[in-house]
Amino acid sequence: IEDPKCVAKTFPDYFEALFSLVQADPARIPVLCVDGPTASGKGTLAAQLASQLGYHLLDSGALYRITALAAGRAQLPLDATGEPAIAGLAQGLQLEFTADHRVLLAGEDVSDAIRTEEAGMNASKVSVLPRVRAALVDLQHGFRRLPGLVADGRDMGTVIFPEAPLKVFLTASAEQRAQRRFKQLISKDKSITLDSLRADLEARDARDSSRSVAPLKPAADARLLDNSNVSVEESVKLVLGWWQGKQPF
Ligand code: DC
């Protein structure tokens, strides 16, 4: 079924009915990876691709953000001294992703708490720890369910789904990314400045790219997309064209 969304009107439970009857080999379920640095727009692109294709969505950054939040609440140091305990927390996270795009941690809605700049910076810190990354692998693989998955992150194409038929590496200039983040945040926090955002973003890029495990870098077979001057609609159209070209069904 090349357009899984076609069932939405006449048979919305089609896939539930189908999957109660059949089993799929996870290795054959299509995955489209969207990797890239902070504020490159990969979250928006991945969500729109998933919606248009009728696929599941993995926001892997949210998993690191939630892990950092849980570690902070447990008053664990977000460095190597806290690593075993944070990895233990990551392994046992009780998560639920709701249909209206909220995320619940042990029943509590933490969607807003994990979206602050501080939460992003803390996520970047725990994501350096190899045991924390290892603890989140199975959870991420579990998102690979029929009819397909769009996976958003830093290491989707390089580590988590290296055999994915299409890997997109999204970039935009630091200037553009800081501007976009500024527009998102200024209504919530008037004290924020463009310069401080750009400095934070560059610090996160540096940490995410220089870590020894799963650093931020394009997979060897990734298609690069610099969206500094490309609209979201155009990017979605372009990537859907690449996906159709791969025919991974
Ligand atoms: O995409 P994001 O801003 O929500 O990610 C937050 C942090 O999590 C990011 O700075 C690095 C880390 N991360 C990672 O190491 N690997 C991923 N696949 C996703 C995020």
Side-chain angles (χ1 to χ4, degrees):
I1 298 177
E2 294 189 0
D3 176 13
K5 246 188 147 178
C6 68
V7 302
K9 219 176 201 172
T10 49
F11 193 169
D13 297 336
Y14 175 80
F15 284 103
E16 283 74 10
L18 178 67
F19 302 153
S20 66
L21 297 173
V22 299
Q23 291 259 320
D25 173 2
R28 301 193 57 194
I29 299 175
V31 182
L32 193 170
C33 298
V34 182
D35 288 340
T38 302
S40 56
K42 61 189 163 24
T44 308
L45 176 65
Q48 295 218 6
L49 290 169
S51 154
Q52 296 222 10
L53 291 164
Y55 284 5
H56 299 279
L57 176 66
L58 165 59
D59 172 3
S60 59
L63 304 182
Y64 290 94
R65 287 169 180 266
I66 294 165
T67 301
L69 181 78
R73 286 180 175 178
Q75 302 197 324
L76 296 170
L78 305 184
D79 57 24
T81 55
E83 182 170 5
I86 302 173
L89 271 181
Q91 194 106 52
L93 289 176
Q94 286 178 25
L95 292 182
E96 195 189 327
F97 292 88
T98 68
D100 57 346
H101 308 293
R102 310 299 292 178
V103 51
L104 310 184
L105 171 62
E108 176 197 344
D109 187 341
V110 293
S111 323
D112 296 331
I114 62 166
R115 287 293 148 210
T116 64
E117 280 304 286
E118 193 192 354
M121 198 57 102
N122 289 340
S124 177
K125 287 180 188 161
V126 298
S127 73
V128 171
L129 307 169
R131 288 174 66 176
V132 173
R133 301 199 73 83
L136 291 172
V137 169
D138 287 348
L139 181 59
Q140 294 176 85
H141 284 161
F143 279 78
R144 189 172 195 174
R145 296 193 303 271
L146 285 169
L149 175 68
V150 178
D152 150 4
R154 307 266 186 313
D155 62 343
M156 299 295 99
T158 48
V159 177
I160 304 295
F161 301 110
E163 71 302 341
L166 179 62
K167 302 162 186 175
V168 179
F169 194 87
L170 201 60
T171 53
S173 65
E175 178 66 36
Q176 274 282 353
R177 292 187 285 129
Q179 296 262 12
R180 287 178 191 160
R181 192 44 66 85
F182 184 72
K183 281 189 199 145
Q184 277 172 356
L185 295 177
I186 190 67
S187 58
K188 289 185 216 142
D189 181 357
K190 300 275 179 246
S191 68
I192 224 142
T193 68
L194 194 58
D195 283 349
S196 71
L197 272 180
R198 186 171 169 161
D200 276 6
L201 191 137
E202 286 177 337
R204 264 171 76 187
D205 282 357
R207 189 184 303 107
D208 296 348
S209 310
S210 64
R211 67 184 177 219
S212 56
V213 181
L216 168 68
K217 64 164 193 225
D221 53 348
R223 298 201 64 159
L224 302 187
L225 171 54
D226 183 334
N227 70 1
S228 301
N229 298 304
V230 182
S231 70
V232 176
E233 294 71 27
E234 283 170 305
S235 302
V236 170
K237 214 170 140 198
L238 190 67
V239 176
L240 285 177
W242 292 344
W243 187 240
Q244 288 297 333
K246 290 278 178 186
Q247 291 281 321
F249 323 106

